[in-house]
Amino acid sequence: MLQVKNLTITHLKDNRVLLDQFNLTINPGDKAAIIGEEGNGKSTLLKLIYDEKMVEDYIEYSGEIIRNNMRMGYLAQELTAEEKEMSVYEFMCQMPLFFETTPKELAEVSRFLQIPAETFYEEQQMGKLSGGEKIKVQLARMILSKPNLLLLDEPSNDLDIETVKWLETFIRETELPILYISHDEVLLENTANMIVHIEQVKRKMESRATVLKSSYRDYVENRTASLSKQEQLARKERSDYRKQQEKFLQIRQRVEHEQNVISRQDPAGGRLLKKSMHRIKAYEARFEKEYENMTEIPETEDAIFIKFGEKAGIAAGKTVLEYTLPKLTVEGRTLAENITLNIRGPEKVCIIGKNGCGKTTLLREIAEKMQSRTDIKVSYMPQNYEELLDMEQTPVEFLTETGDKDEISKIRTYLGSMKYTADEMGHKIGDLSGGQKAKLLLLKMSMSGSNVLILDEPTRNFSPLSNPVIRNMLRGFGGAILTVSHDRKYIGEVATKVYELTEQGLVVREDLGSE
């Protein structure tokens, strides 16, 4: 059993409280999903539970983490620079129990993960594996360490749909308790029996955490209903307050007028008016106090705002892409042949496929070709944000074109609508979370007036409560979209055509929505 008692975590850079007097208990059978907006401290919490040395450089904390001698398996969101340079075999050897593992146990794990057993002895660098292959090797090493508690940071990132379904089955059926972070709404719906929701409210000046034994779907439905009721009550209270203030103003003006015109020959009337004014002021003070204690209008992750301009559309039937590629190769290895892709008008095309089949390589090649055209305006979001983002720049610097005062003011307004704080607008991009970096790229696209978007896993770093807003924005986009995605909600709600990349080329797929 894992116990967290009265945990307070403070970020050293901006003195922001990420968690305040947080309590959590993980028991056998718990599948506890940590959810929350980008940059709210989810990964920090997971690292701190596993090993405080991982976060000691940027946070301080108080409270207790009682591990009870549990052996924890930790799956990081990203490999370290050193791990990326290791061969797969060297990476596996970092886990001492690997040398005690029998061939039978290795075969069982490889079959379970759907990868060849010889993978564990390969000399290929970890950093050159596909995203899904990296996750599988990390999972293998973690499983072979024989843990009794699993800590998983975005385990479904970069996994193909088939492997995500396998992961769902694993999380659901394993007897081990699991504390995990995920942005995949379908995975959350199919696995979680406990929700840990971390929020930063009041312009990220206040931390709020909810821990509840609940399925994800029930949690979202109950939360939505509760927030709707709270918002209705808050708006009614404010409406009533404005009406009352108008009434007081009218009465006050009338009494003041009567005080000004009353005859000095009527001192009794003057005293009555003076008493009336005292009562009015007392009432006003009482209502001002009530105003301070009014129900708050709820602040939520989905309260982000982004839209594309009216000029971002494409006429129906316009040729956006006519693409053919005889062979798709990576480092001399042929991944697919006879690729053909045509896009017309404002179609929303999604490419899926198994890990390592070349989707990202194909998308990058198409983006390079399309960005040279003058009849359309193309924006590209790579899976690796560092391809486009300068990690030393600030968000304001990245978005600035002219540097004039009005432009910078407008940019700050836009960033505020995406829930950046004033401090975060001045942070280096390298210090921001993956979701905040993704927001920057989307904001740049919206400001550029692009009418064609090429997106590699656009929803992978957004909160599961923010993703519906992102999907709605992309679904309503008037231009064309070409996407690589494994997000089943995205595929079901945004994509108008779905292709699977196979060795024989692109094959049309149907009914791949949010299963």
Side-chain angles (χ1 to χ4, degrees), residues 94 203-204 250 441 446:
Q94 296 299 304
R203 299 298 296 169
K204 299 190 179 181
Q250 292 173 355
L441 291 175
S446 73

Side-chain angles (χ1 to χ4, degrees), residues 186 189 217 488-493 512-515:
V186 179
E189 290 172 355
R217 184 170 292 175
R488 288 163 286 176
K489 291 280 189 182
Y490 177 90
I491 294 169
E493 296 179 17
L512 284 170
S514 52
E515 302 172 14

Side-chain angles (χ1 to χ4, degrees), residues 369-381:
K369 178 179 179 180
M370 294 186 71
Q371 285 178 314
S372 64
R373 288 185 36 192
T374 57
D375 61 323
I376 53 177
K377 176 72 173 176
V378 180
S379 285
Y380 171 52
M381 174 190 278

Side-chain angles (χ1 to χ4, degrees), residues 248 252 256 276-286:
F248 278 138
R252 185 188 184 103
E256 287 176 343
S276 295
M277 183 59 74
H278 280 307
R279 285 197 300 270
I280 290 168
K281 289 182 178 180
Y283 277 125
E284 287 179 329
R286 191 186 80 189

